[in-house]
Amino acid sequence: MENSAGLQTNTHAGEFERQPVPSSQFKDWRKFLGMYAGEHAAGTEFVIGPLFLTAGVSAFGLIVGLLLGNFLAVLTWRYITTPIATAERLTLYFKLEKIAGRKLVTGYNLANGLLFCFLAGAMITVSATAVGIPFDMPMPALTDTTPNSLSWVLVVLGVGTVISIVAAKGYDAVSKFSNIAAPWMVMVFLIAGIVAAKRLGVESFSDLWAVWGTGSEPFPGQIKFTFWHVLFFAWFCNAAMHLGMSDLSVLRYADKNSVGWMTAAGMYVGHFMAWISACLMFALYLKSPEAAAIFASGGLPPVAPGPLAYEVVGIAGLICVLVAGWTTANPTIYRAGLAFQAIFPKSSTVKVTMVTGGIATIAGLFPAFAMKLLDFVAVYGFILAPIGAVIFFEHYYADRFGLKKDYAAFFKVQFNWAVLLAWLISMAVFYSLSVYQGVFLSFFTLPAWITCGVLYLLFSKTLQKK
């Protein structure tokens, strides 16, 4: 689900950051196919798949919801994000600075950097569940929010330190390793899913359907997922990237708009095949004597990727979990460091990245970020998506409203209040509705996005008149 925003550094790191990409640097669809497939079959998939089962999802809700939700995500990338990327050829950050002003973009970078740190922390948690198996480390339970043992703290600190040091050395080595590891990780996901299905007695599609059946009651503390929950989650778990326009930074290199269809590789390799494979691994574990004993004692089985993968495909599964968490956390820490460095430009990249890695490692100590990943990803997309509406609505409707495009750059202002007010009001209204009405946040991502865009046009009309 994650991290396609980081692809911007894969292509031409440090180039064309404040100018349009020249036509000599355009890339065809082949460059993007592997990128999206690799980025979305990563550490988060090991957690999100099992969490669907803890939410009591049915077979129809899971399989059909993922099919349609991922298709809507692909359509959003293709028709919302890519046309603006190929028209502007600018990174999200520079385009936003031209509209919102440099000081406001600093606030956006802070929010972006912190959310990246929390996501990286969840991935450090994922890798730690693999490293901890040889040490017989107690795995965090679904309800755990704080560290559950000294061994957990030591393993997380060790994993986080290694990841932070590698991230501080720069993105190139991490990027190369990720590109090499991605095809292997995809194969492990596929094989693990097939092995788990066989051990569950799946011989046909109807048998696969029966694994989830009509669903079940959710685990305590989890909300019940229906078809609509799965559809909207699949659509908007990457809302920051497509509706939020983070992938302007990636798709600005696309030679044509049809490149947007390549996001389907990420959605259906990662967010369909890998999620279902992880679901099957957890379904197999739930039938084990260990899980039965935990249920009998009134507890909840842990959603720990390391033990799940080890049980199904052995050492290869452990390595896959470790690598998947690492290849997700490393670029995420690196990008968070870049966001923070924009706020503190005089600080060295190494120092800022190490501090960022420290924040992510501290977050990784708290299993809540991984165990509540469905909720966290929904919040992440909800917060960052409305900013993309500012870019989208200005691109298509500024002329109709008689507004000046790139307001901050044209009038040389540092802070565009129209952007901030539209962003804050849309988030506050719909987040409040979600909390007080008990509605899953992903249901409100699109209304918040549209509201932010409309408010931006209305506030800009007033501001620019003055």
Side-chain angles (χ1 to χ4, degrees):
M1 50 57 49
E2 62 296 316
N3 304 336
S4 53
L7 297 175
Q8 67 201 51
T9 50
N10 288 358
T11 312
H12 279 273
E15 295 183 26
F16 317 121
E17 291 166 334
R18 302 185 68 81
Q19 67 186 72
V21 173
S23 58
S24 62
Q25 299 298 327
F26 293 175
K27 309 296 178 184
D28 65 19
W29 62 271
R30 290 169 294 185
K31 176 66 176 177
F32 297 87
L33 181 68
M35 280 183 177
Y36 276 102
E39 287 285 337
H40 291 275
T44 47
E45 275 55 70
F46 278 109
V47 182
I48 290 175
L51 289 177
F52 282 131
L53 281 190
T54 69
V57 70
S58 68
F60 177 84
L62 181 67
I63 296 173
V64 180
L66 289 181
L67 281 172
L68 295 180
N70 285 322
F71 182 61
L72 289 171
V74 173
L75 289 179
T76 307
W77 259 300
R78 168 61 183 84
Y79 291 106
I80 300 294
T81 318
T82 309
I84 296 178
T86 57
E88 298 278 354
R89 301 289 179 185
L90 300 174
T91 67
L92 164 69
Y93 306 103
F94 186 48
K95 178 60 183 175
L96 191 58
E97 183 182 319
K98 289 162 73 74
I99 297 173
R102 190 167 186 84
K103 288 185 178 178
L104 185 50
V105 169
T106 297
Y108 174 83
N109 282 339
L110 179 62
N112 213 2
L114 287 173
L115 289 169
F116 272 137
C117 280
F118 298 147
L119 179 62
M123 292 307 95
I124 291 172
T125 298
V126 168
S127 289
T129 65
V131 175
I133 284 184
F135 305 104
D136 198 26
M137 180 184 74
M139 294 297 164
L142 187 64
T143 53
D144 282 345
T145 56
T146 57
N148 64 346
S149 66
L150 177 60
S151 57
W152 171 257
V153 172
L154 295 176
V155 168
V156 169
L157 290 177
V159 171
T161 300
V162 172
I163 288 174
S164 301
I165 291 171
V166 174
K169 289 183 176 295
Y171 196 87
D172 285 345
V174 176
S175 172
K176 289 176 182 176
F177 181 79
S178 297
N179 290 337
I180 293 170
W184 176 77
M185 286 192 297
V186 168
M187 287 304 299
V188 172
F189 268 114
L190 180 60
I191 292 169
I194 292 171
V195 171
K198 289 291 185 183
R199 289 174 59 180
L200 285 165
V202 173
E203 299 292 342
S204 64
F205 184 74
S206 60
D207 291 336
L208 177 64
W209 195 268
V211 171
W212 293 278
T214 57
S216 61
E217 286 300 310
F219 286 16
Q222 305 293 102
I223 64 170
K224 171 70 175 177
F225 261 40
T226 66
F227 161 79
W228 295 108
H229 287 80
V230 176
L231 183 147
F232 277 92
F233 179 82
W235 186 3
F236 294 132
C237 66
N238 280 120
M241 312 309 174
H242 47 66
L243 284 182
M245 299 290 170
S246 279
D247 273 6
L248 291 185
S249 304
V250 182
L251 294 167
R252 64 194 174 120
Y253 287 98
D255 61 350
K256 57 185 70 172
N257 288 340
S258 59
V259 164
W261 292 115
M262 295 305 102
T263 56
M267 294 303 95
Y268 288 100
V269 170
H271 293 192
F272 187 75
M273 182 274 286
W275 280 357
I276 289 178
S277 291
C279 259
L280 288 167
M281 285 189 276
F282 192 56
L284 180 64
Y285 172 68
L286 291 179
K287 293 183 179 295
S288 68
E290 178 184 335
I294 294 172
F295 277 127
S297 66
L300 295 176
V303 181
L308 292 181
Y310 181 67
E311 173 61 26
V312 178
V313 286
I315 296 296
L318 276 188
I319 296 173
C320 185
V321 170
L322 178 62
V323 170
W326 182 40
T327 57
T328 307
N330 250 317
T332 304
I333 289 171
Y334 180 77
R335 284 193 303 279
L338 291 179
F340 291 143
Q341 193 173 23
I343 303 172
F344 306 103
K346 294 183 180 179
S347 300
S348 72
T349 301
V350 172
K351 183 185 295 184
V352 171
T353 305
M354 286 300 295
V355 171
T356 303
I359 296 172
T361 301
I362 292 170
L365 289 171
F366 297 89
F369 288 111
M371 298 301 105
K372 296 290 185 183
L373 198 58
L374 293 178
D375 295 327
F376 172 71
V377 169
V379 170
Y380 171 78
F382 177 83
I383 291 174
L384 297 181
I387 281 292
V390 170
I391 296 171
F392 178 86
F393 277 72
E394 182 184 276
H395 184 82
Y396 288 105
Y397 300 110
D399 293 338
R400 297 186 197 180
F401 274 68
L403 301 175
K404 186 67 184 175
K405 290 185 176 180
D406 296 336
Y407 170 83
F410 187 81
F411 289 103
K412 295 181 172 57
V413 299
Q414 296 291 305
F415 203 102
N416 185 345
W417 281 99
V419 175
L420 181 64
L421 290 174
W423 187 20
L424 291 181
I425 290 172
S426 60
M427 283 196 300
V429 168
F430 288 102
Y431 186 79
S432 298
L433 283 173
S434 173
V435 171
Y436 290 113
Q437 298 299 319
V439 178
F440 186 48
L441 192 59
S442 289
F443 289 149
F444 287 127
T445 300
L446 185 59
W449 187 83
I450 294 171
T451 301
C452 183
V454 171
L455 288 177
Y456 169 69
L457 295 178
L458 295 176
F459 291 150
S460 294
K461 190 73 174 174
T462 302
L463 179 69
Q464 293 192 20
K465 274 184 179 179
K466 292 181 180 180

